[in-house]
Amino acid sequence: MEKVTIATVAERAGVSRQTVSNVINTPEVVRAETRERVRAAITSLGYRVNQAARQMRTGRSRLIAVRIESGSDGINGSVLDRFLHGLTDAATLAGYRVMLYTAADDADEIATYDDLLTAHDLDGFVLTSTHHGDPRTSWLAARDVPFVTFGRPWGAPDTHSWVDVDNDAGTLAATKHLLKAGHRRIGFLGWPRGSGVGDARRTGWAAAMTAAGLDVTGLSVAVIDGVDSGAEAAGRFPDDLTAVVCASDSLALGALRALPGRAVIGFDDTAVAHAIGLTSVSQPLAEAAARCMHLLTELLDGRAPATSTQLLLPPSLVVRQTA
Amino acid sequence: MEKVTIATVAERAGVSRQTVSNVINTPEVVRAETRERVRAAITSLGYRVNQAARQMRTGRSRLIAVRIESGSDGINGSVLDRFLHGLTDAATLAGYRVMLYTAADDADEIATYDDLLTAHDLDGFVLTSTHHGDPRTSWLAARDVPFVTFGRPWGAPDTHSWVDVDNDAGTLAATKHLLKAGHRRIGFLGWPRGSGVGDARRTGWAAAMTAAGLDVTGLSVAVIDGVDSGAEAAGRFPDDLTAVVCASDSLALGALRALPGRAVIGFDDTAVAHAIGLTSVSQPLAEAAARCMHLLTELLDGRAPATSTQLLLPPSLVVRQTA
DNA sequence: CGGCATCATTGGATCGATCAAGTTGCGGAT
DNA sequence: ATCCGCAACTTGATCGATCCAATGATGCCG
């Protein structure tokens, strides 16, 4: 198992180092015959490019970074994990590898960017959990670091590429499903106003109700996410309510407990929903991850479109026993 | 934002490159006064070591790799995700970064090792999901690649360091808890024989029953993991059964459905257990991850103990409504 | 006061790839 | 016959760190 470098291959194939490099990076400039000879040498020796050496010369590492959330391992934490799985697969296919990092808050995360960029020459980032006034995107944009966000830039202009799931459409479809089943008094159990995602999910429900000519007064309840808080809040709905659309599976679980017999639909289609037969809105996470990676590689390989791209993916309703 | 290299720092501090390198890597050989001057220059310039350059010279990357499971996003998939979170935290603390990869099977995974080692100079691996006749450990050992497994080497001798959770102790504690509550006819709902983990979990239950002088004949049922399969299998228990210890939360969920009113205890303390109030055995995943990282850094920094280390961590019982 | 060991620091070579500039060979136009 | 252009390939320099051998400074002793 001697060390196999580009020089070893060159010697074996009877050419210079540069020609081997050309075969690898710009095959079209090498004569077909020579190219094959070099390729044969590469495979017979089991040669692989040393990324560190390449990186030092080119300044590119073929590495992208994603944050993995530290705590928050509740019911909903798994959503980001599923996204991460999809991203790792997509990155591998595109010839990139994924590096993980954790960060306590936005400032900490920005400090980590700095470290990853200077120490490891990271090529790009995929950000999750975007929110109002997010300082991360502007920091990266100011330094011309390629990045894509999973989640739209709430409140900010669309200056970068992003992929998001159409939350409105999700609750809209869920509400329509309930309307079709004959429900008229349908409540919405969501989060306090201010989170873009939560507000969008409420909007979809309201739109479906209004379109059906129904009054929504007193049918919307807001509470911090959680099973217990959801159960408590669900008690505040009017007695004649027959169905509830929820902003998360946690809340839906609470609603199920507080309002037995009523129709309930959750959001995110987590393992819990699957396990207990909860109807839920499912986000196409694997596809979202693949799209993010695709947009990012476009940026990285320089064939980026002149303008940034925004993608809104439709979620789907997974109908189970609870609705 | 000019590029800051070791030469920039050297110039600013009025010393040579090598002295700066010494301050970073072997501070004790530099005179205190010089050391401080160099350190001041480093911070004022915001200098950070270029890992690619360091790596090329030293052959070490300060990178470790962990496999992320592709599919299997059921209830139990989250266990490995939680381990991954813990590992990322621990690695960051130890000055390492985590790189992800996926693999379809053991052979594919070994091919990935080869690629990661030659292309990225990975320093070490943390393996999960060890099993009987695992070819990965011997491949790595044959090449002197540092690695630690989360999961013992089932059936093979303890030639490498590993961390595992004491599965026997988990079901033993669960069963004792039920015995204390007055139950006498306690069943075990587990997986088919052959998986080390599953067999160990059955052993713990059997040991507690035998110690209490109880007969276990006909009280053990084996089935492939899943909620539905668990529910179906739970129907095969004798009618006088009052409690069930399960090898997973999925099975426990099935048991709860098939045997309403009976006491049920699951395993892994997943989000589902938390959400529906299922009593479950909880694995100390964050601690396991930290221990793995600790063992691995010992190997990497050359201060490895002469013999390999094995750690068996005790799980804990999280008592909720179902038992 | 010269000799010599010890400590602190320096300068050149090196890791393995790519970049930039140069060389060779060959056909076609002048 | 000479020159030009182009394709195909080669050579030396370079990225930013660390290794290694050598140098200068300092102190101690006979």
Side-chain angles (χ1 to χ4, degrees):
Chain A
M1 273 303 223
E2 283 309 301
K3 215 178 338 178
V4 178
T5 76
I6 206 168
T8 323
V9 176
E11 195 177 1
R12 166 77 70 103
V15 296
S16 69
R17 303 183 320 267
Q18 184 58 39
T19 299
V20 178
S21 176
N22 285 336
V23 169
I24 297 168
N25 300 298
T26 46
E28 67 277 9
V29 307
V30 180
R31 188 153 44 101
E33 186 197 339
T34 316
R35 198 191 306 146
E36 285 319 309
R37 193 151 35 92
V38 171
R39 289 219 169 110
I42 287 177
T43 45
S44 89
L45 288 166
Y47 168 77
R48 286 212 191 69
V49 176
N50 179 319
Q51 289 292 342
R54 164 181 284 180
Q55 175 180 342
M56 178 150 54
R57 199 75 250 264
T58 63
R60 297 191 43 189
S61 59
R62 301 200 73 80
L63 243 44
I64 65 167
V66 191
R67 169 174 167 181
I68 183 170
E69 310 279 333
S70 285
S72 80
D73 260 298
I75 299 180
N76 303 311
S78 70
V79 173
L80 281 175
D81 286 335
R82 280 146 74 195
F83 178 76
L84 185 59
H85 285 211
L87 200 70
T88 307
D89 286 337
T92 306
L93 281 174
Y96 285 84
R97 307 225 84 113
V98 175
M99 192 180 267
L100 294 180
Y101 65 91
T102 55
D105 52 41
D106 285 340
D108 189 20
E109 185 157 358
I110 286 175
T112 307
Y113 293 159
D114 203 14
D115 180 55
L116 287 170
L117 287 169
T118 55
H120 291 277
D121 277 320
L122 253 83
D123 287 351
F125 292 84
V126 174
L127 309 200
T128 55
S129 309
T130 52
H131 50 83
H132 277 108
D134 202 320
R136 301 174 298 167
T137 50
S138 39
W139 193 93
L140 290 172
R143 282 158 189 77
D144 280 324
V145 178
F147 71 96
V148 173
T149 66
F150 175 45
R152 73 196 77 183
W154 299 103
D158 283 340
T159 45
H160 63 265
S161 292
W162 53 258
V163 173
D164 203 356
V165 170
D166 193 343
N167 288 286
D168 304 41
T171 43
L172 185 84
T175 311
K176 276 191 178 167
H177 174 76
L178 292 168
L179 287 167
K180 207 168 186 176
H183 293 280
R184 286 297 169 267
R185 298 288 285 166
I186 305 170
F188 180 79
L189 180 54
W191 304 318
R193 272 168 215 286
S195 93
V197 174
D199 294 348
R201 292 183 185 177
R202 188 189 333 270
T203 304
W205 159 80
M209 293 294 277
T210 309
L214 298 171
D215 183 24
V216 298
T217 321
L219 293 183
S220 173
V221 171
V223 70
I224 300 289
D225 199 65
V227 179
D228 293 334
S229 58
E232 183 272 319
R236 284 184 247 152
F237 281 121
D239 286 340
D240 64 344
L241 192 97
T242 62
V244 192
V245 172
C246 304
S248 77
D249 281 356
S250 306
L251 291 175
L253 215 61
L256 272 179
R257 191 203 297 164
L259 308 169
R262 249 64 73 90
V264 173
I265 297 183
F267 210 110
D268 282 345
D269 190 31
T270 58
V272 178
H274 180 80
I276 67 168
L278 171 68
T279 295
S280 189
V281 178
S282 174
Q283 301 196 39
L285 294 168
E287 189 189 349
R291 299 280 195 165
C292 279
M293 196 59 221
H294 185 71
L295 290 176
L296 192 56
T297 47
E298 272 184 347
L299 284 173
L300 294 176
D301 298 348
R303 49 186 169 74
T307 57
S308 55
T309 310
Q310 285 78 37
L311 283 176
L312 208 50
L313 305 177
S316 58
L317 188 67
V318 179
V319 180
R320 298 202 181 85
Q321 293 92 298
T322 65
Chain B
M1 277 301 225
E2 283 308 303
K3 215 178 339 178
V4 178
T5 76
I6 207 168
T8 323
V9 176
E11 196 177 0
R12 167 74 71 99
V15 297
S16 70
R17 305 184 318 270
Q18 184 58 39
T19 299
V20 178
S21 177
N22 284 336
V23 169
I24 297 168
N25 301 296
T26 47
E28 67 277 7
V29 308
V30 180
R31 188 154 41 103
E33 187 197 340
T34 316
R35 199 190 307 145
E36 286 318 308
R37 191 150 38 92
V38 171
R39 290 219 168 108
I42 288 177
T43 46
S44 88
L45 289 166
Y47 168 76
R48 284 212 192 69
V49 175
N50 179 318
Q51 289 293 341
R54 164 181 284 179
Q55 176 179 341
M56 180 149 54
R57 201 73 251 265
T58 62
R60 298 193 41 190
S61 60
R62 300 201 74 80
L63 244 44
I64 64 166
V66 191
R67 169 174 167 181
I68 183 169
E69 309 280 332
S70 285
S72 80
D73 259 299
I75 300 179
N76 303 311
S78 69
V79 173
L80 281 175
D81 286 335
R82 280 146 74 195
F83 178 76
L84 186 58
H85 285 212
L87 199 70
T88 307
D89 286 337
T92 305
L93 281 174
Y96 285 84
R97 307 225 84 114
V98 174
M99 191 181 265
L100 293 181
Y101 65 91
T102 54
D105 52 41
D106 286 340
D108 189 21
E109 184 157 359
I110 287 174
T112 307
Y113 292 158
D114 203 14
D115 180 56
L116 287 169
L117 287 170
T118 54
H120 291 278
D121 278 320
L122 252 82
D123 287 350
F125 292 84
V126 174
L127 309 199
T128 55
S129 308
T130 52
H131 50 84
H132 276 108
D134 202 320
R136 302 174 298 166
T137 50
S138 39
W139 192 93
L140 290 172
R143 282 157 188 77
D144 280 325
V145 178
F147 71 96
V148 173
T149 65
F150 174 45
R152 73 197 76 183
W154 299 102
D158 283 339
T159 46
H160 63 265
S161 291
W162 53 259
V163 174
D164 202 357
V165 170
D166 192 343
N167 288 286
D168 303 41
T171 42
L172 185 84
T175 311
K176 277 191 178 167
H177 173 76
L178 291 168
L179 288 167
K180 208 169 185 176
H183 294 280
R184 284 298 170 269
R185 297 288 285 166
I186 305 170
F188 180 79
L189 180 54
W191 305 318
R193 272 167 216 284
S195 93
V197 174
D199 294 348
R201 292 183 185 177
R202 189 188 334 268
T203 303
W205 158 80
M209 293 293 278
T210 309
L214 298 169
D215 183 24
V216 298
T217 321
L219 292 182
S220 173
V221 170
V223 70
I224 301 288
D225 199 65
V227 179
D228 293 336
S229 59
E232 182 272 319
R236 286 185 247 151
F237 280 121
D239 287 339
D240 64 344
L241 192 97
T242 62
V244 191
V245 172
C246 304
S248 77
D249 280 356
S250 305
L251 291 176
L253 216 59
L256 272 179
R257 192 203 298 163
L259 309 169
R262 248 63 73 89
V264 173
I265 296 183
F267 209 110
D268 281 345
D269 190 32
T270 58
V272 179
H274 181 81
I276 66 168
L278 170 68
T279 294
S280 190
V281 178
S282 175
Q283 300 196 38
L285 294 168
E287 189 189 349
R291 299 281 194 164
C292 279
M293 196 60 220
H294 185 71
L295 290 176
L296 191 56
T297 48
E298 272 184 347
L299 283 172
L300 294 176
D301 298 349
R303 49 185 169 72
T307 58
S308 55
T309 310
Q310 286 79 36
L311 283 176
L312 208 49
L313 305 177
S316 59
L317 187 67
V318 179
V319 179
R320 298 202 181 86
Q321 293 91 300
T322 64

